[in-house]
Amino acid sequence: MTVSLENLRRCHIAVDLGAARTRVFVKGAGLVVDEPSVAAVNTRTGALIAVGQFAEQMTGRTPDYIRVVRPVSGGTVVDIEMCQRMLRHLLGEKLRRTLRRKPRLRAAACTPHDADPLAQRAAVETMVGLGARRVELVDTLIAAAVGCGLPVERPEATMILVCGAATTQVAVLSLGSIVTAERIPVGGEAIDHAIVQHLRHQHELMLPSQSVRPLQLALSGNGLTPQGPESTEIHGRDVATGLARSVHVDTAAVRDAIHTPLTAVLDGIGKVLRDCPPDLVADLADRGIMMVGGSALLPGLDHMLVNATGMPVHIAERPDVCAVLGLGAMLEGKIQPLVLDPLAG
């Protein structure tokens, strides 16, 4: 693992900074924050107006002097100061006072696989700004695998697919470590963008920024398969006139539109399997792929992966919070490492 379990057990707080949502786990209290990674700022005074859910609702609806910002992109902190301010407000005064009483506050944070040193430093600086004296960084893939109950410490192959908002990470794990992994710069946002572009070009319709998710939900439980609904009604604004308009969108055309970003994910899975030792691939044929992350809930994505790989695909019970729950399990000492003693010879 990126860091020893012994060091993680000494931590008091775990943070998963995602492109879409920020989640905070406090030892003894559980998951205390699960809010969008969004902040609204008054550009005239620099004051923070709103964070989390309320700030996300303000997207695309603000006057000129209010700017809605996202301090985290693709699991990497891009604005350290704003991220610190956002976290302080999300935690609340009462919880911050409790954490300040810790003589040597230790924090754990998730980082994407193969995060560069600059991204790792940004995560550490963010936590230090909240009062942490020491910060432990854990690979998101391992934290998510622990959080969804995979036996990562065993000498057996487990494959995990972390479907985030900005990136998709796929890995094969064994003996508590990553055997082979791939990070694909395609996530839920790329799928949203593909749908928006399709509606603009084919129907001359512009969607409000909050309206893409309802279209995905309209695809229903088997939306990415031909058995899904034939059409769905979408409301938006006409590109030419600017007036409100509704259109009936053919869901088969929507499936074709989002196929391009999803093909990149399938290519990444194929590369990981090609780089994996044959014995572990044999394990995976029975065990299959575990999907976690918010975009894992895209209707029909699991059916598409089954058809493309021929392997069983499972979705975690709570896919969106697996990473932070995995960190929390490590903090509270619920994970026992497999002890490998050197042989005396």
Side-chain angles (χ1 to χ4, degrees), residues 101-135:
R101 292 194 193 108
K102 309 282 185 189
R104 286 186 62 81
L105 180 65
R106 288 177 174 234
C110 286
T111 54
H113 179 67
D114 276 350
D116 57 65
L118 203 60
Q120 294 180 0
R121 184 176 176 83
V124 171
E125 291 279 336
T126 301
M127 302 314 298
V128 168
L130 289 175
R133 297 292 186 88
R134 184 181 172 115
V135 181

Side-chain angles (χ1 to χ4, degrees), residues 78-160:
V78 291
D79 187 336
I80 295 172
E81 184 191 354
M82 186 56 66
C83 194
Q84 289 172 350
R85 292 172 71 185
M86 180 185 76
L87 274 171
R88 284 193 202 104
H89 281 79
L90 288 175
L91 286 170
E93 186 60 38
K94 184 180 176 183
L95 185 56
R96 277 188 290 137
R97 272 204 304 270
T98 307
L99 292 173
R100 274 202 295 265
R101 292 194 193 108
K102 309 282 185 189
R104 286 186 62 81
L105 180 65
R106 288 177 174 234
C110 286
T111 54
H113 179 67
D114 276 350
D116 57 65
L118 203 60
Q120 294 180 0
R121 184 176 176 83
V124 171
E125 291 279 336
T126 301
M127 302 314 298
V128 168
L130 289 175
R133 297 292 186 88
R134 184 181 172 115
V135 181
E136 309 287 357
L137 298 179
V138 180
D139 198 304
T140 303
L141 289 162
I142 291 177
V146 170
C148 64
L150 290 176
V152 289
E153 73 282 359
R154 305 299 306 163
E156 302 159 356
T158 51
M159 189 170 193
I160 188 162

Side-chain angles (χ1 to χ4, degrees), residues 172 179-180 272-282:
V172 174
V179 178
T180 176
V272 167
L273 289 172
R274 285 194 299 274
D275 294 344
C276 193
D279 290 351
L280 294 182
V281 174

